[in-house]
Amino acid sequence: MAISILIFLSLLLIFLSHFPSSHAEPFIGVNYGQVADNLPPPSETAKLLQSTSIQKVRLYGADPAIIKALAGTGVGIVIGAANGEVPSLAADPNAATQWINSNVLPFYPASKIILITVGNEVLMTNDPNLVNQLLPAMQNVQKALEAASLGGKIKVSTVHAMSVLGNSEPPSAGSFSPGYQTGLKGILQFLSDTGSPFTINPYPFFAYQSDPRPETLAFCLFQSNPGRPDSNTGIKYMNMFDAQVDAVHSALKSMGFEKVEIVVAETGWASRGDPNEVGPSVDNAKAYNGNLIAHLRSMVGTPLMPGKSVDTYIFALYDENLKPGPSSERAFGLFKTDLSMAYDIGLAKSSGSSGNSSSQPPSGKVTSMGWCVARKGATDEQLQASLDWACGQGIDCGPIQPGGACFEPNNVASHAAFAMNMYFQKSPKSATDCDFSKTATITSQNPSYNSCVYPGGGAGSAGVMNKYVRSDKSERKKNGAVEPKVSSCLSFLLVFMFLILHVNM
């Protein structure tokens, strides 16, 4: 009897693993800096994070109060060993053991520590002694984790600035600077051997500051732009983030480490700055971070790494009022220290970020103009840009997130059609509101299908199958076979359990 039940439970777990949680967005993280004297208590921050779709937090140290406050929340935690700790960690394995004993073991697994970053942008210090000590420090921390039976459960890495690249344009020609390649080779081998990520800090914000043209701003903010073709591959890049991440991918490939995972440890946009600074503003910060999140949620990936969103930590949770430098350095916060939003980018679970599969029409009068859908002939790159922009305007893109009613079929055309129509229905609904740089058009045919409802069109409109869906059956065909509905699979498993129990009585 016990064996039969165990068999059933195993089958049930396998079954459930194929269906993502509608609230799971593990690729969205945030940096939690503490160079400030006005931050709310860690317990309040933990509650704030639980009210959002943020799934991971990166700390620059290992503050025990914060780590403890996040216990039981399910939020993944990245903790860091400071640059000043690298020499001792490298010189003495016992120091690494003590570091793990102090900063990990008292909290894990209640506090979900997932990654330890040893040093921050160490290669950029150009301190040869510190650079040479980095890999031994990482190795000793890894050995200390393994001694505590945590090897593989918690990864070890180090964070790099984008300036570690010697070439990043075009993305396919990305390569590391020759001066850093010797030091990187051992680190990359370590990451490959341990299954740890290569963590880096791409900032389109700084790219725009060095090239402040209007077309560059649109390219950096995921807004409508002509795109930038890669002369080697012919791929047209529609945003700077993808171009930067793919340049890192190409650099890893050039060193023989194409399979090492990339994690974006920092990226963000300042909401204010000094009069002589180019780019900081609330509108630009909202556009970049909101469109970045929409892009990640689309699950399209990058041109060289399609179909999976890169884990991305947005800088930062709060403004840090004690940071030195220009005013922009103190103005990257997504939230104010009174826990209110600095600006809304759809992170609240009650907003489109929640993965809510409800497709109720947004507020505003629905007219009989029809529905706004993708125009025939629009490329995936153009539609992706329109999708990112639409979802960054405060509409509910939850239904096209994993687990949502409109997530399948999982392709750019279908997701863009839904997002563009949601924006159109929220707008005053003139024909110009369904343009999206010539990638959209109005149709009188209802594109709704199955449980995916496209609002609009007025009463009495005939429902037809969405032309972007490749099957007109409720069971999506996959590799020539019909994929059964979830309810049918669950029913089968329940019957199977009944038979097992009956036989063993």
Side-chain angles (χ1 to χ4, degrees), residues 94-118:
N94 290 327
T97 299
Q98 183 57 47
W99 198 94
I100 296 298
N101 290 344
S102 299
N103 299 305
V104 176
L105 298 187
F107 312 105
Y108 186 89
S111 296
K112 190 180 175 182
I113 300 171
I114 57 175
L115 177 67
I116 298 171
T117 56
V118 178

Side-chain angles (χ1 to χ4, degrees), residues 106-404:
F107 312 105
Y108 186 89
S111 296
K112 190 180 175 182
I113 300 171
I114 57 175
L115 177 67
I116 298 171
T117 56
V118 178
N120 187 50
E121 300 185 354
V122 169
L123 298 187
M124 300 302 103
T125 66
N126 292 318
D127 179 341
N129 291 328
L130 189 62
V131 170
N132 290 335
Q133 291 168 327
L134 180 57
L135 178 57
M138 294 169 67
Q139 291 170 329
N140 283 341
V141 170
Q142 177 68 28
K143 291 174 183 176
L145 284 172
E146 291 171 354
S149 299
L150 294 177
K153 296 178 181 178
I154 300 175
K155 304 294 185 180
V156 177
S157 189
T158 187
V159 180
H160 305 280
M162 277 295 286
S163 50
V164 74
L165 296 185
N167 184 48
S168 61
E169 193 174 343
S172 62
S175 61
F176 293 111
S177 176
Y180 299 129
Q181 288 186 15
T182 300
L184 277 171
K185 188 172 183 180
I187 292 173
L188 291 175
Q189 188 63 59
F190 169 85
L191 299 179
S192 179
D193 292 342
T194 59
S196 300
F198 182 82
T199 54
I200 195 158
N201 301 337
Y203 274 93
F205 173 73
F206 296 121
Y208 172 61
Q209 287 191 324
S210 64
D211 180 16
R213 295 176 296 164
E215 56 267 35
T216 302
L217 181 62
F219 187 66
C220 289
L221 297 181
F222 299 85
Q223 293 174 337
S224 179
N225 67 91
R228 298 185 179 182
D230 185 312
S231 57
N232 294 331
T233 63
I235 294 171
K236 181 180 285 188
Y237 282 84
M238 303 306 296
N239 65 81
M240 180 68 78
F241 179 83
D242 281 356
Q244 290 184 327
V245 172
D246 272 358
V248 175
H249 174 75
S250 296
L252 290 171
K253 184 177 180 180
S254 71
M255 294 274 287
F257 296 97
E258 180 180 6
K259 294 183 179 180
V260 171
E261 177 190 5
I262 296 171
V263 165
V264 173
E266 279 185 34
T267 190
W269 201 284
S271 59
R272 65 183 184 278
D274 294 324
N276 64 339
E277 289 190 86
V278 177
S281 75
V282 171
D283 287 344
N284 287 349
K286 180 178 180 179
Y288 177 74
N289 289 319
N291 291 336
L292 169 63
I293 289 172
H295 184 56
L296 295 172
R297 286 177 176 155
S298 74
M299 300 293 287
V300 71
T302 70
L304 296 184
M305 296 181 292
K308 180 182 181 298
S309 291
V310 173
D311 284 8
T312 300
Y313 294 78
I314 299 175
F315 187 85
L317 187 58
Y318 302 115
D319 287 345
E320 296 175 81
N321 65 346
L322 298 182
K323 290 193 74 172
S327 295
S328 60
E329 286 292 315
R330 297 177 289 281
F332 278 83
L334 300 178
F335 293 88
K336 299 177 182 178
T337 53
D338 64 2
L339 305 178
S340 64
M341 294 180 184
Y343 44 84
D344 188 0
I345 54 174
L347 283 174
K349 282 184 178 177
S350 59
S351 71
S353 65
S354 66
N356 179 13
S357 61
S358 171
S359 298
Q360 296 300 317
S363 59
K365 182 180 179 182
V366 176
T367 72
S368 59
M369 282 193 69
W371 295 266
C372 182
V373 296
R375 184 185 293 274
K376 184 178 180 180
T379 66
D380 279 357
E381 290 85 359
Q382 293 170 325
L383 291 173
Q384 183 64 50
S386 296
L387 168 61
D388 292 341
W389 185 87
C391 287
Q393 304 307 305
I395 63 172
D396 182 7
C397 285
I400 55 176
Q401 296 168 32

